[in-house]
Amino acid sequence: MTAATYQYVDLPDASVVTTRALLTARENIADTVAARAMMCIHGGAGFGKTLAVNTCLHELEPVEDVRRVTFRARPTARAVRYELFTALDLAGEPPRHPSEFDRLLKTALAERPRTFLVDEAQWLNGEAFEYFRYLWDEPATQLAVIFVGGEGCHTVLRREPMLSSRIFIWQHFTRLTPSEVLDVIPLFHPVWADADPEDITFADSHAAHGNFRAWAQLTAHTRTALARTGRARVDQELLRRAFSRLA
C-alpha cells in the first residue's frame, strides 16, 4: 500500500479491507454521483472515512471527473472560491470581484459533470457550506459534492436548514466492533494473518479500540518489533513492546 491509497502511514504489504462501512460508502457515493447530489460522511478521527471515500471514488474516476479540496482552517467564501479555482485547474488569474468569480466558477462547473470531495469538512463554517449550496443550486452546474469530516461537520450542516435539507445521504462512520476486528484485521496485513484471535482481541482492547488509524499505527510498530526480535509471529509480549510506543 502506498500514499496513493490514502493510508495514514506508508505500510508495506497492507491491503484495503472491505468493511461494512466501506461497502455502504461505495453504494452511497455511487448513488450520490448518479443523482448529481450532495452527501455527508462523518465520524470520529481515524475511523477510515477518507480512505474509504478515496477508494470508492478511485473506482469511479475512469468515467467521473473527481476533484479534491481540503480545508485546514475555517475558510471564508472567498477562500472557498480560490480553492475551487485551483482544484478546477482554471487558467489565468483569479477574478478580484466576487460576482465575476462566481460567474467563472458556474461557467466551469456547467461544462461537464464533476464530483467534488470536500475533505476535513469539519473546518467549514456556515458561510463556506452555504457557498457550496449556492453553486450546487445553480441549474446549469452538473455537480455532486461529498463532504467528509469529523462530527463537527455533521453538527454545522444540521444547523444550516437550507443546506441540510439538500443532503441526499448521511453516513456515520463508527469504530470497528470486536467481531469486525476479528474478521478484517487478519486481512489488513500479513502481521495479523496467522495471529491468534485472542492476541488480536488483546491488541484491540489495549491499544487500537476499533480505530483503523490506530490499527495502522500499531501494525507499523508491531512489524518493526518482529523484524528486530527475529520472531515469526505476534504474541502478547511483543504487543506490549509495541504498546509502549503509543500514547
Side-chain angles (χ1 to χ4, degrees):
M1 183 176 288
T2 66
T5 55
Y6 313 102
Q7 179 61 45
Y8 168 60
V9 290
D10 189 12
L11 192 58
D13 302 320
S15 300
V16 174
V17 289
T18 308
T19 63
R20 285 197 293 269
L22 189 146
L23 284 173
T24 301
R26 179 178 290 154
E27 291 183 355
N28 289 342
I29 290 169
D31 291 346
T32 299
V33 170
R36 313 317 305 176
M38 294 190 288
M39 72 173 290
C40 174
I41 291 182
H42 61 102
F47 289 178
K49 303 180 299 296
T50 297
L51 185 145
V53 171
N54 276 297
T55 298
C56 297
L57 286 175
H58 184 68
E59 296 172 0
L60 299 177
E61 279 184 308
V63 294
E64 181 67 22
D65 185 355
V66 177
R67 306 294 172 123
R68 294 167 172 81
V69 292
T70 302
F71 298 99
R72 300 294 181 184
R74 300 197 178 281
T76 62
R78 180 175 181 272
V80 173
R81 290 185 183 97
Y82 277 91
E83 286 292 334
L84 295 179
F85 181 90
T86 301
L88 289 167
D89 298 319
L90 298 179
E93 294 295 321
R96 293 186 178 183
H97 299 291
S99 59
E100 184 183 353
F101 213 149
D102 293 346
R103 282 195 299 273
L104 176 66
L105 291 175
K106 287 179 180 180
T107 299
L109 292 172
E111 290 174 352
R112 60 181 179 276
R114 287 188 176 91
T115 294
F116 270 96
L117 165 59
V118 184
D119 202 5
E120 302 294 346
Q122 71 273 8
W123 289 109
L124 298 180
N125 54 24
E127 179 187 11
F129 276 125
E130 176 63 22
Y131 190 72
F132 279 102
R133 183 198 67 80
Y134 166 73
L135 293 176
W136 182 83
D137 270 352
E138 173 63 33
T141 60
Q142 305 175 65
L143 188 60
V145 183
I146 301 165
F147 296 111
V148 182
E151 300 296 7
C153 167
H154 174 268
T155 301
V156 175
L157 273 171
R158 284 298 192 190
R159 285 202 304 259
E160 300 291 329
M162 292 286 288
L163 182 58
S164 178
S165 64
R166 288 166 169 77
I167 298 297
F168 187 55
I169 295 174
W170 301 84
Q171 182 177 350
H172 187 208
F173 267 62
T174 59
R175 297 178 187 275
L176 296 173
T177 66
S179 62
E180 283 181 295
V181 167
L182 290 175
D183 286 340
V184 305
I185 294 303
L187 304 175
F188 172 54
H189 195 277
V191 159
W192 311 108
D194 62 349
D196 189 311
E198 289 187 6
D199 290 337
I200 294 176
T201 298
F202 176 78
D204 190 58
S205 62
H206 285 77
H209 309 295
N211 184 303
F212 239 121
R213 185 176 298 164
W215 267 109
Q217 200 173 21
L218 176 62
T219 302
H221 291 310
T222 301
R223 183 174 175 272
T224 300
L226 285 169
R228 287 179 177 166
T229 61
R231 299 186 187 187
R233 198 162 181 262
V234 169
D235 58 39
Q236 292 190 14
E237 180 186 350
L238 185 138
L239 286 172
R240 288 190 180 92
R241 179 179 302 189
F243 297 165
S244 70
R245 295 183 137 195
L246 304 173

